[in-house]
Amino acid sequence: MIKLPPLLLIISAASVGAFVDPSGFSNVDRFVKDVSPRIKHSLQAVDIGTKDTPTVETSQSPFANFDYEAQWYPVTWARDLQENDPTKVTVFDVDYVVSKTADGEIICMEDKCAHKGAALSQGRVSGNGKNFQCAYHGWSFDGKSGECTEIPQLVKADGSSTQIPSRACGKAVPAQIHQEMVWIF
C-alpha cells in the first residue's frame, strides 16, 4: 500500500491573470485589494486533506522491470543489405550502422564515430570488409568489437604508427540474420 500525501490546493498568481503594468503593480495586487477576505484566503496554499489520508492499493505490472534495451530487434531485411555498404537503422531513437561482409556475416555498431561523433553510416566499410571507416577523419573501427583499428593521423613520417588510445573505441552491437531478417541486440 502507498500512503498518499495530503492534497494541497494552490492558486497561483498566474491563474488569475497576473500581468505587470507600467506602474509596477500587478493585476493580482489590485484584485486582492478589492475582493473579500474569503477570496484573499483562497490565494494561499490550503491544506484540504491532512486527516485520514486515503491509501491506494497498487499492483506490480508484469512489465515494470522489463528492459526494452536488452532485447533482439529486427531492423531490416537481409536481402536489402548490400555487401560492404554501411546502412543506417534506428531503434528507440538510437542510430546504428549495419553492414554485410563478403562472407555474409553481419556487423553492427552505434552510428557515431568516437572521435567527433560523425555518422559512420556516411563512411564506408574498409580493411578486410569488417571495419567501419568514418568519412570525416578516416578512423576505422572493428564492426564486431568496436575497437579502433586505425587512426590515419597517428602515422609517423617513417610509416610506423603510434599506439591507438584505449578510449578511442566505438560501441559494437551483436547482430545476426534470422528468418531472413537482420536482428540487433
Side-chain angles (χ1 to χ4, degrees), residues 11-93:
I11 300 176
S12 68
S15 66
V16 291
F19 297 102
V20 178
D21 64 12
S23 67
F25 294 103
S26 68
N27 291 344
V28 173
D29 293 336
R30 291 185 182 147
F31 177 77
V32 171
K33 288 179 186 175
D34 298 333
V35 296
S36 69
R38 180 177 53 87
I39 295 177
K40 285 183 191 177
H41 178 71
S42 70
L43 291 175
Q44 300 170 0
V46 179
D47 186 353
I48 60 172
T50 57
K51 296 181 182 176
D52 301 324
T53 304
T55 58
V56 177
E57 294 283 336
T58 60
S59 63
Q60 183 71 15
S61 168
F63 300 107
N65 296 326
F66 185 75
D67 186 2
Y68 289 92
E69 293 180 359
Q71 307 300 322
W72 287 93
Y73 291 99
V75 293
T76 187
W77 290 102
R79 67 176 176 264
D80 293 339
L81 280 183
Q82 301 298 318
E83 185 177 305
N84 295 332
D85 183 32
T87 302
K88 179 180 180 176
V89 296
T90 304
V91 177
F92 294 127
D93 292 330

